[in-house]
Amino acid sequence: MTGIGKIRRSQVIGTYGPGAIIDFRSPEGAPISAVSGGLELWEEAKLDHRQRIHEVRLQAGLKVDFFHQPPVGKRKTGAKDAKGFAIEEDIELPAVRFPEWCFCPSCDRLKHIRDWVSDPAKPDRWCPVCSGQKGKPKRQFVVPVRLVVACEAGHLDEFPWDRWVGHVEGCKRRDLKLVGEAAGLAGLVVKCDGCGAEKSLAKAYGPHALERIGHSCTGRRPWLPLAHREACGHAAAVIQRGASNAWFPIVDSAIDIPPFSDEFTQFIRQEQYWKAFKALGDPAHIRGAIEDNELMEEWHGPPMTLREMEAQIRRIFDRDQQGPETDLRAEEYARLVAPPTQGVTDRNFKIEVEAIPDGLAGFVGHLVRVERLREVRVLTGFTRLTALGQEKQAREPASLSASKKKNWLPAVEVFGEGIFVTLDLVRLREWEQRPPVRARIAALNAQLEQAAKARGGTPVAPWPLTPRRVLIHTLCHAVIDRLSLDCGYSSSSVRERLYSGPEGSDMAGFLIYTSAPGADGTLGGLSREGRAERFGATLRKAIDDTRWCSSDPLCSDGLAALFDSGNQAACHACCFLPETACEHFNQYLDRALVTGTPEEQSQPGETPPSLAFFPSGY
């Protein structure tokens, strides 16, 4: 489909990636629904090699050669207009019309897309009976149906309208109508003008609704036109076209850090060079490949000798061999707590270490202003009906392409800034061993395990939860909320990145950063809030905010949290953030671990040992 709407490049990774349903309006105003095309369709659209991006650590973990930005925006054609200006063309994200059944809102007729009238090369469809009639528009555009069929393997297909209505045997006309006789789904009735059969959609959402009419999952994948069907044994379920459970993206990300973010690494990872080094097999031949590819002449960055270039390439080569077992966050954490390297500049990474604010010594270990960072977000797959980890049984995510051996994945790179904070390890380790803390987390883990068993599965990472993960996550949310109130940042314009190692490890902190194109804070405002004299007041207010909630005592007693949410004292009135800002979809939060229960707050001091990491009266 061509020219039917506009989306931002970053939306393709988190909202409208391959397999997701997108709703548009055509230039003439016709409603159009489409499913975003798979990677083979991207390749057919002649991807621009200049939009390739690299992140060494993610490429090694995901076993790909490069990432490609979504084909969104404009590109130069190489031609010029009569005035000598370069001519640009739109880069279009491929999409396939779905669903293909539409109804006329005027006469209620329900038909396949091929049975409506259209203009050549235009996506609009309209009803020939109603268009142009007195009191009606010149063209009465038809509307895509609301119901589609999906399964947990990611398949997507049309709702079986003919089978649902149950035509009388011998019916030849099969002229369907979708009539709204009352409010809600129960008021929608499918009727056949030919045989008189009719049936309400009231029970279409039942757990076995499609099984009762003999309909099972067809294995259809409309986003992959060349391989659109595969065998499937999952039950088919009816969902609304625009429902939030129609597409759950699976995104991996990494913060670009030295030495992987330097200019030379970006240079050598270009396909024409890196392909030659990958083919070597033996790092001992690196020097010869440098000479064969004339890299000393091609490199225009800071001067380096042949020996230095060989050592740099060997380092990158070795990092590729480490594979997915390497902990990306441990590498990032180690770099963020390390002092800035003197005399070394990196265009994608810059940090400034701040002194610990007055009164926070013994609670905060490091305070770092991240003045510049680059994040790469990669879409690796998606699920339907339930998010990964909440399914009834373990399964492979749905694929973005027909071929599972693609050497690239879709990704975006975004640049921003942030504040990095760690907790004092001495106090944290003592707090983790307190009996009330361990008992509270044990009860939370038991709830998650029971909920997973009820779904027929087992809990997934980060289960079993640790006290430090819940503490760090809750404190991070409190700081983001306080920054939003005091500094004007909308909570949806920032993101969290948690660094929580197992008990006994040295990793315990969080990064609050903005890295969305055009979002708040990309001009240095957020990093300035990390200065010691400003952040000390922000953190104290954030801690104080966790002491109460407008939904108490329901919230403090855990009654406001869903049984399987992984939360205790947390709800929309206190700890929750927009889901774009939270790594765990507002799960694994508990205010009591930050400042204790209301009963503990009324008893100053820490005897007996309390849940609170920050004591009463702090």
Side-chain angles (χ1 to χ4, degrees), residues 41-274:
L41 293 182
W42 287 28
E43 292 173 333
E44 289 180 12
K46 298 180 181 179
L47 294 175
D48 188 344
H49 288 192
R50 292 171 296 181
Q51 292 186 340
R52 289 184 180 182
I53 56 178
H54 298 278
E55 209 292 325
V56 176
R57 301 179 305 135
L58 267 181
Q59 288 169 212
L62 297 174
K63 299 182 185 295
V64 294
D65 295 336
F66 61 90
F67 304 116
H68 207 294
Q69 299 188 68
V72 174
K74 293 183 178 291
R75 62 183 168 197
K76 294 181 180 179
T77 62
K80 295 185 178 181
D81 60 17
K83 296 182 178 180
F85 294 105
I87 298 175
E88 294 183 332
E89 64 179 358
D90 290 327
I91 306 174
E92 296 178 346
L93 182 72
V96 179
R97 187 190 294 274
F98 183 88
E100 295 178 308
W101 281 77
C102 300
F103 71 94
C104 174
S106 182
C107 66
D108 299 326
R109 286 182 174 85
L110 176 65
K111 299 180 181 180
H112 191 274
I113 198 70
R114 61 176 173 264
D115 296 324
W116 298 108
V117 181
S118 66
D119 279 334
K122 285 192 175 182
D124 307 342
R125 297 292 188 274
W126 66 86
C127 177
V129 176
C130 300
S131 297
Q133 290 189 7
K134 186 176 180 180
K136 295 182 180 179
K138 181 179 179 181
R139 287 186 175 174
Q140 178 64 65
F141 295 117
V142 296
V143 180
V145 294
R146 291 164 50 187
L147 302 186
V148 295
V149 175
C151 83
E152 287 203 337
H155 300 132
L156 191 66
D157 205 353
E158 305 283 349
F159 182 82
W161 299 102
D162 282 307
R163 183 171 289 185
W164 181 262
V165 74
H167 294 284
V168 175
E169 187 175 354
C171 177
K172 296 181 179 180
R173 286 182 56 188
R174 294 181 178 255
D175 293 334
L176 297 182
K177 284 188 174 182
L178 184 59
V179 182
E181 297 182 344
L185 200 63
L188 285 176
V189 181
V190 185
K191 298 182 178 182
C192 175
D193 281 350
C195 63
E198 62 178 69
K199 188 175 183 179
S200 167
L201 292 174
K203 298 182 179 180
Y205 283 111
H208 304 290
L210 296 181
E211 291 180 14
R212 295 191 188 101
I213 62 172
H215 185 81
S216 58
C217 180
T218 61
R220 187 182 176 197
R221 300 181 292 176
W223 66 98
L224 303 175
L226 300 180
H228 64 283
R229 293 189 189 274
E230 63 180 1
C232 180
H234 291 272
V238 177
I239 61 173
Q240 294 212 40
R241 187 184 74 238
S244 60
N245 65 343
W247 194 78
F248 293 100
I250 301 173
V251 178
D252 277 355
S253 67
I255 302 294
D256 211 2
I257 58 172
F260 309 107
S261 60
D262 60 65
E263 187 177 353
F264 179 76
T265 300
Q266 302 302 316
F267 164 77
I268 204 65
R269 294 294 301 203
Q270 296 180 71
E271 186 180 16
Q272 65 267 33
Y273 301 136
W274 195 242

Side-chain angles (χ1 to χ4, degrees), residues 13 55 57-58 62 250-256 328-329 332 374-380 412 414 495-497 499 513 515 583:
I13 299 303
E55 209 292 325
R57 301 179 305 135
L58 267 181
L62 297 174
I250 301 173
V251 178
D252 277 355
S253 67
I255 302 294
D256 211 2
L328 301 185
R329 301 217 177 186
E332 294 169 12
R374 170 181 179 257
E375 182 192 23
V376 176
R377 301 177 194 157
V378 184
L379 180 65
T380 62
V412 292
V414 284
R495 296 169 65 91
E496 68 178 9
R497 192 166 181 85
Y499 298 91
Y513 66 104
S515 63
E583 289 191 332

Side-chain angles (χ1 to χ4, degrees), residues 329-330 332-338 351 353-357 360-370 419-428 468 471-472 475-476 479 497-501 505-512 530 535 539 543 613-614 618:
R329 301 217 177 186
E332 294 169 12
Y333 186 86
R335 187 63 192 84
L336 287 165
V337 299
I351 60 175
V353 178
E354 291 287 319
I356 303 301
L360 292 178
F363 296 94
V364 173
H366 295 82
L367 174 59
V368 179
R369 287 190 296 118
V370 183
I419 304 170
F420 175 70
V421 182
T422 73
L423 300 182
D424 182 84
L425 290 174
V426 174
R427 181 175 184 84
L428 179 64
R468 74 168 60 186
L471 169 66
I472 289 170
L475 183 61
C476 183
V479 174
R497 192 166 181 85
L498 307 179
Y499 298 91
S500 174
S505 75
D506 292 338
M507 187 161 66
F510 59 84
L511 172 67
I512 297 173
F535 187 75
L539 183 58
I543 294 168
F613 183 80
F614 297 94
Y618 175 76

